Amino acid sequence: MMRHQHETRPGWWRSRLNWALIGFLAIAGFFLFTEHRAHVLGVLPLVLVALCPLLHLFGHHGHGGHGAHRPPDDGRKEP
């Protein structure tokens, strides 16, 4: 029986290049947010209003949607 040897690659966090990239992205994100905070926070209410139709469409899966509406049961049995 042959045994397969699996080569284990070091994780992405062990590379200095990846740590430098993470640091650069964190600094760039910080300055991008601080410089454009008024634009980002000013658009936030509009984004919430724009999400309302999507939440309505995808939020109805829990109760059967609009096709499952039936007339109320009045207690009578049909023959």
Side-chain angles (χ1 to χ4, degrees):
M1 190 185 264
M2 278 178 87
R3 291 184 183 223
H4 296 286
Q5 293 180 357
H6 295 283
E7 293 182 26
T8 58
R9 294 173 47 195
W12 61 270
W13 60 87
R14 296 186 187 232
S15 170
R16 287 184 181 177
L17 179 65
N18 287 336
W19 277 109
L21 178 66
I22 290 170
F24 174 76
L25 291 176
I27 293 168
F30 171 76
F31 282 115
L32 188 66
F33 180 73
T34 56
E35 292 296 323
H36 298 282
R37 184 179 350 186
H39 306 297
V40 172
L41 296 179
V43 175
L44 190 59
L46 298 175
V47 170
L48 291 175
V49 170
L51 284 176
C52 287
L54 291 175
L55 292 172
H56 180 75
L57 287 175
F58 294 115
H60 282 289
H61 63 78
H63 66 79
H66 290 287
H69 293 283
R70 295 188 185 118
D73 185 20
D74 61 358
R76 293 184 289 166
K77 294 184 179 182
E78 292 186 32

